[in-house]
Amino acid sequence: MSKTIILSNRLPLQINIKENKLQVIPSVGGLATGLKSFHRDGDSIWIGWSGLTTEEIPEDLLEEVHTEARKEACVAVNFTSKEIDGFYYGFSNRSIWPLFHYFMEFTEWEADNWETYKNVNQKYADKVVEHYKEGDTIWVHDYQLLLVPNMIRQKEPDAIIGFFNHIPFPSYEVFRTIPWREEILIGMLGANLIGFHTYDYERHFLSSVSRILRRQVDFNEVVLPNRLVKVDSFPMGIDYDKFEQAALAHQERSSEKESELQQRLNHHRIKSPDSKLILSIDRLDYTKGIAHRLRAFEYFLEKYPQYVEKIRLVMLAVPSRSDVPQYQLLKKEIDELVGRINGKFATVNWIPIWYFYRSMPFENLIDLYTSCNIALLTPIRDGMNLVAKEYIATRTDQTGVLILSEMAGSSEEMYEALIINPNNFEQIANSIHQAIQMPKEEQIRRNTFLQKRLKRYNVEKWAQDFMKALQKTYENKPAYEAIPVSKEEEEKFLKRFSKAKNRVFFLDYDGTLVNFVDKPEDAKPDKQLLDLITTLNELKKTKVVLISGRDKETLGTWWKDVPVELIAEHGVWIRKTGKNWQLNEKVSNDWMEMVRPVIETFCDRTPGTFIEEKNYSLAWHYRKADPDLGEKRANELSNVLKQLTSNHGLSVLEGNKVLEIKTSGVNKGKAASKLLMQKNFDFIFAIGDDWTDEFLFKELPDSAISIKVGLKKTAATYFVRETEGVRKLLNQFIEYD
Ligand code: GDG
């Protein structure tokens, strides 16, 4: 039976060793908490690091580590402390994490760390491949494993792979600073579906793909030569019922069963019934804006001194990544700030901040959520922030006010909260004031909307939506009705071919027989291709026509010694077998003098664009321009040219990153028709990859075999994914003959 393989850096459990005994505790953190229920309820295995380095596991306990993991349907991968240093504390948390959260000043680029990151990603990928069976679905998580999707794809080309990024994806201007940016994007694009929490992260990613890799992006799909990669946003939810139920259970328990923390919280309430508790919970991380929060709280106490002794900030900061220097400095800064503020405002009866620097059991988390009147979450950047959602889910009487930073992904769906900019202390202080004053009815009104949404779009729904979208993308069919050339279709072609008396092959050149290259002059046919076409052309009863938009000089030189028929410049010129070039169409080029200067002004204003001058047409190429600017200017130029050329029998054709101006009515379709009229061909085969080939596909009789290369929309009956497929197919005809 097929299963889901979840892959994340850490397993949802943490294995510790104390006095030579194993201790297994659940992992804390957004991803582990969120996905646990999906894993628990589904048919899946979860692969990840146990939290222990190879050096930390005594040999006699190694097997036990795996056994413990297996009990939870987990597969533990072990790494040396050197690997963890370079991969986790190094590249993941000193390079990717700060950069993706816009902390460029904390970002370090160490080539050694990058090497380790690649090696460890490869180990993870290998582990997945080891457990993978055909039909399984693979779901890779987060920024530590950006290279894994493509590493799996290299070994399992047909695997269904999803990737979800739990942290923000930065703008192209920030992302482009990474020395290994191409590798990272290529790594991610190994997936069939890439998910982000918000639309903003999605559009930043797509913009990086189109600008850095120069890949075509159609709405939210990246067009690769042989695959489409879908990119979408899926805002992660929480296990709503779990939090709601836990909160309800809290209300029903007897006072003896209350935790010590709960008793302290109760005591506070009883002692000063009109006072308020403000809660914050996060990992101790510079992205979470903990120092901002403290300073804003200090400012609040200065601005609204009437709340001295009437308000308290309960702050839980969970130790995190304490091996990274920035985290150590942050810890020091927070300790000092808390000390200073408490020192400044404390009275004999009261201190303003209760600060816990530790991880708490789930029970205590619920104590805090249910006892605090306000949650104050002020991240400077946060992929989503699940604490905000958990706080709302536990407010079973629907009271409570959430103050949430607009820099958290969750603020986009939680707009009934009081949304603040974490850098605006005035606004934060005023929001705390507003929260204290907020009438109960208003709290209930706001939370009713929030709860309804969170309950509906919970973590289960999130995972289901992602999985459904993943299965759908895997079908990977183009949005039109062309048929993939399967083994069976190939058989049919070959049978028709062998029975035919007169065969003709119309073959486009660039993107069909050869792949695109940076410089068009480098796309010379290789020896294998020259041999292939020569042999095909030598078959009895077979005519091969290379039909291209290229100029006759280039085509003529490249195919000088191969006696195939050549059609150049979309049909303007023809070189019949054994003859010289001759004009195939009556065309003039007088109009070029009028049009060229106009295109030149667009070249000047649009860096990266250039004019290609052919004998009877002019082409403006913008493949190397900024993708957005290129499209904008292409629209503009197309309009200008259409007006300018309308009375001159010219057409402006909009191709793939190119505008071409030429005499109307000259195209590959017309050129092919002329040829077909000269003889009765009973086997017509045409193959091409771009818009100029569409004229050909449309013009051919229904009985022809027309094939598009790539996944773009087409009038052809069939499609193959890539040029390698074309050569294989042509070879089969030779072998079959
Ligand atoms: C990353 C992204 C994104 C916290 N302290 C304790 C504890 N927690 C639990 C909370 C919550 C989770 O940890 C924290 O999740 P967040 O989403 O707030 O933050 P990150 O850990 O930074 O997570 C984040 C997330 O991934 C998911 O995609 O939202 O933006 O940075 O569930 O309840 N749990 C227990 N004790 C604690 O002391 N038991």
Side-chain angles (χ1 to χ4, degrees):
M1 207 171 88
S2 59
K3 59 184 180 298
T4 302
I5 303 178
I6 302 173
L7 179 73
S8 65
N9 169 43
R10 294 291 290 266
L11 284 176
L13 43 91
Q14 158 99 36
I15 302 179
N16 294 327
I17 298 179
K18 254 198 180 151
E19 291 160 2
N20 217 40
K21 281 218 167 72
L22 288 193
Q23 260 185 352
V24 183
I25 51 168
S27 292
V28 174
L31 193 157
T33 330
L35 262 185
K36 240 183 268 175
S37 59
F38 172 79
H39 177 51
R40 188 187 55 215
D41 303 337
D43 187 11
S44 59
I45 60 165
W46 191 323
I47 301 178
W49 179 44
S50 65
L52 289 170
T53 61
T54 337
E55 294 85 344
E56 286 168 325
I57 311 175
E59 219 159 283
D60 55 323
L61 288 184
L62 192 61
E63 194 41 49
E64 212 180 312
V65 168
H66 292 294
T67 315
E68 284 303 320
R70 261 198 301 272
K71 281 186 195 160
E72 305 285 330
C74 289
V75 177
V77 195
N78 296 319
F79 297 109
T80 64
S81 59
K82 195 156 175 263
E83 283 173 324
I84 291 299
D85 276 350
F87 154 72
Y88 181 68
Y89 293 112
F91 196 72
S92 299
N93 288 326
R94 289 197 208 186
S95 309
I96 296 290
W97 177 271
L99 189 89
F100 278 35
H101 286 89
Y102 296 81
F103 281 80
M104 290 181 81
E105 68 279 24
F106 290 170
T107 306
E108 297 168 17
W109 302 119
E110 295 281 346
D112 283 354
N113 288 345
W114 165 243
E115 284 307 312
T116 316
Y117 183 85
K118 281 196 288 188
N119 293 338
V120 170
N121 268 237
Q122 188 65 58
K123 283 194 179 176
Y124 274 118
D126 293 346
K127 201 39 116 190
V128 171
V129 171
E130 196 183 310
H131 288 265
Y132 173 78
K133 289 216 170 59
E134 204 185 312
D136 288 352
T137 304
I138 302 166
W139 193 2
V140 182
H141 289 267
D142 228 359
Y143 67 102
Q144 303 92 348
L145 305 176
L146 296 170
L147 307 178
V148 169
N150 197 43
M151 288 172 165
I152 301 174
R153 173 84 52 218
Q154 295 305 312
K155 297 200 173 158
E156 292 294 345
D158 296 324
I160 312 175
I161 308 172
F163 178 82
F164 193 87
N165 198 54
H166 289 261
I167 66 173
F169 196 92
S171 117
Y172 157 72
E173 288 298 342
V174 170
F175 184 80
R176 70 193 296 201
T177 61
I178 306 179
W180 307 283
R181 58 205 178 175
E182 288 90 356
E183 285 96 322
I184 291 179
L185 293 176
I186 291 169
M188 295 171 79
L189 287 172
N192 302 86
L193 171 68
I194 301 177
F196 296 96
H197 284 306
T198 73
Y199 173 66
D200 280 333
Y201 310 154
E202 174 191 333
R203 75 185 168 81
H204 290 325
F205 173 76
L206 289 172
S207 139
S208 287
V209 168
S210 77
R211 287 177 160 74
I212 295 169
L213 297 183
R214 298 260 153 200
R215 286 286 175 209
Q216 190 190 331
V217 173
D218 280 345
F219 299 105
N220 64 345
E221 270 177 351
V222 181
V223 184
L224 298 182
N226 56 349
R227 288 189 299 122
L228 298 174
V229 180
K230 181 111 186 211
V231 182
D232 213 339
S233 58
F234 302 85
M236 186 174 176
I238 56 164
D239 187 348
Y240 190 93
D241 285 351
K242 176 176 144 189
F243 284 90
E244 187 185 35
Q245 290 310 319
L248 288 169
H250 257 59
Q251 286 155 18
E252 279 156 23
R253 73 189 162 176
S254 58
S255 54
E256 309 87 72
K257 290 217 168 124
E258 281 175 349
S259 66
E260 204 186 315
L261 176 68
Q262 184 67 63
Q263 287 167 16
R264 287 286 304 277
L265 292 162
N266 291 347
H267 180 70
H268 168 92
R269 199 169 38 216
I270 294 159
K271 224 177 85 195
S272 32
D274 58 343
S275 73
K276 303 277 181 203
L277 289 177
I278 304 180
L279 173 68
S280 80
I281 297 181
D282 353 58
R283 282 183 304 99
L284 191 86
D285 196 298
Y286 49 80
T287 61
K288 302 286 182 183
I290 303 174
H292 284 59
R293 185 179 313 153
L294 288 168
R295 293 204 171 91
F297 183 61
E298 177 182 23
Y299 178 67
F300 166 80
L301 290 174
E302 278 164 5
K303 185 170 177 188
Y304 297 99
Q306 66 270 35
Y307 291 111
V308 164
E309 292 196 339
K310 295 225 156 40
I311 195 135
R312 171 165 291 146
L313 175 62
V314 182
M315 195 171 86
L316 171 62
V318 182
S320 181
R321 302 171 197 169
S322 43
D323 288 25
V324 178
Q326 273 100 27
Y327 289 74
Q328 293 157 0
L329 286 174
L330 177 70
K331 164 81 172 54
K332 197 159 166 271
E333 184 190 4
I334 300 301
D335 286 354
E336 284 171 10
L337 260 177
V338 171
R340 186 167 64 71
I341 298 170
N342 275 344
K344 184 166 160 189
F345 294 97
T347 65
V348 276
N349 302 316
W350 173 80
I351 52 162
I353 304 167
W354 275 355
Y355 170 39
F356 301 94
Y357 175 63
R358 70 185 81 134
S359 172
M360 287 194 181
F362 181 71
E363 283 301 298
N364 288 152
L365 214 62
I366 303 296
D367 292 337
L368 291 174
Y369 282 147
T370 50
S371 307
C372 294
N373 317 80
I374 298 165
L376 176 61
L377 304 170
T378 55
I380 300 167
R381 290 279 162 183
D382 210 340
M384 173 52 71
N385 195 303
L386 299 179
V387 171
K389 296 186 170 183
E390 293 168 4
Y391 175 70
I392 294 297
T394 58
R395 308 300 302 176
T396 50
D397 66 356
Q398 295 178 311
T399 63
V401 183
L402 171 64
I403 304 176
L404 179 61
S405 164
E406 67 178 57
M407 309 296 173
S410 49
S411 69
E412 288 185 20
E413 358 147 29
M414 301 186 79
Y415 36 84
E416 290 86 358
L418 300 182
I419 305 293
I420 51 98
N421 174 344
N423 299 309
N424 187 339
F425 293 175
E426 191 69 43
Q427 189 192 25
I428 300 178
N430 292 342
S431 296
I432 297 176
H433 184 240
Q434 185 187 350
I436 298 169
Q437 300 282 322
M438 190 181 285
K440 229 179 177 176
E441 301 71 49
E442 186 179 343
Q443 297 178 26
I444 293 172
R445 186 169 50 75
R446 286 173 185 257
N447 290 339
T448 308
F449 284 117
L450 285 167
Q451 288 185 342
K452 217 168 139 196
R453 213 172 300 130
L454 294 178
K455 198 170 182 143
R456 196 179 53 235
Y457 203 81
N458 60 14
V459 70
E460 206 178 319
K461 182 87 178 52
W462 167 78
Q464 268 172 12
D465 271 12
F466 184 90
M467 281 300 179
K468 260 195 227 152
L470 178 56
Q471 296 301 336
K472 229 167 139 190
T473 55
Y474 183 66
E475 292 165 10
N476 205 359
K477 274 211 204 107
Y480 52 88
E481 291 302 307
I483 306 163
V485 177
S486 60
K487 276 260 151 291
E488 295 86 72
E489 299 298 339
E490 272 176 23
E491 294 284 317
K492 285 189 213 159
F493 298 168
L494 294 172
K495 275 196 192 126
R496 283 182 53 192
F497 171 78
S498 76
K499 279 194 206 145
K501 296 195 178 64
N502 270 315
R503 311 144 168 170
V504 63
F505 286 81
F506 291 104
L507 309 176
D508 167 49
Y509 186 70
D510 294 274
T512 301
L513 295 177
V514 293
N515 276 318
F516 281 110
V517 287
D518 272 352
K519 290 195 215 126
E521 60 271 24
D522 291 344
K524 257 182 155 164
D526 50 90
K527 165 116 185 25
Q528 187 209 35
L529 180 64
L530 288 169
D531 290 349
L532 170 73
I533 298 299
T534 308
T535 322
L536 186 67
N537 194 48
E538 279 168 0
L539 298 182
K540 277 189 207 120
K541 306 178 286 183
T542 307
K543 184 186 197 65
V544 176
V545 184
L546 296 190
I547 185 162
S548 164
R550 284 204 181 241
D551 60 79
K552 72 180 197 321
E553 286 74 21
T554 312
L555 273 191
T557 314
W558 286 352
W559 295 92
K560 188 162 57 78
D561 302 323
V562 183
V564 283
E565 197 147 315
L566 298 176
I567 292 178
E569 294 195 30
H570 307 293
V572 176
W573 295 97
I574 187 159
R575 189 197 77 176
K576 298 206 167 153
T577 309
K579 300 260 173 67
N580 285 332
W581 284 104
Q582 62 192 79
L583 267 179
N584 196 32
E585 288 286 345
K586 271 205 199 106
V587 283
S588 100
N589 55 11
D590 306 346
W591 52 271
M592 283 190 184
E593 289 312 308
M594 163 186 79
V595 172
R596 192 185 302 103
V598 177
I599 307 183
E600 274 165 358
T601 64
F602 276 76
C603 284
D604 294 342
R605 291 196 298 132
T606 322
T609 64
F610 64 93
I611 303 182
E612 183 192 356
E613 199 154 322
K614 304 184 193 178
N615 292 308
Y616 290 95
S617 69
L618 287 176
W620 180 69
H621 291 269
Y622 59 97
R623 183 174 298 279
K624 291 206 171 94
D626 173 278
D628 294 338
L629 180 66
E631 288 302 334
K632 237 169 85 183
R633 289 279 152 80
N635 267 332
E636 222 180 294
L637 177 58
S638 171
N639 286 337
V640 172
L641 289 174
K642 275 177 190 157
Q643 280 174 20
L644 191 72
T645 57
S646 58
N647 298 327
H648 294 77
L650 298 170
S651 324
V652 180
L653 299 174
E654 292 165 21
N656 184 5
K657 307 278 180 200
V658 58
L659 286 185
E660 187 150 357
I661 302 95
K662 56 189 200 58
T663 310
S664 302
V666 178
N667 61 50
K668 288 184 180 179
K670 203 167 164 211
S673 292
K674 265 191 173 179
L675 213 141
L676 289 175
M677 277 191 291
Q678 293 161 15
K679 204 171 188 175
N680 197 8
F681 290 100
D682 53 354
F683 177 87
I684 304 169
F685 179 99
I687 189 158
D689 71 302
D690 78 4
W691 53 283
T692 62
D693 302 304
E694 294 299 320
F695 290 105
L696 175 63
F697 300 147
K698 282 181 197 149
E699 206 66 34
L700 296 177
D702 289 349
S703 59
I705 298 168
S706 53
I707 305 180
K708 175 87 169 177
V709 183
L711 301 172
K712 283 177 219 141
K713 195 162 170 20
T714 184
T717 316
Y718 302 94
F719 75 93
V720 290
R721 290 175 191 277
E722 51 200 336
T723 50
E724 284 67 33
V726 180
R727 293 192 187 197
K728 263 192 224 148
L729 190 58
L730 295 178
N731 255 317
Q732 298 215 32
F733 287 113
I734 294 172
E735 283 163 20
Y736 201 80
D737 193 63

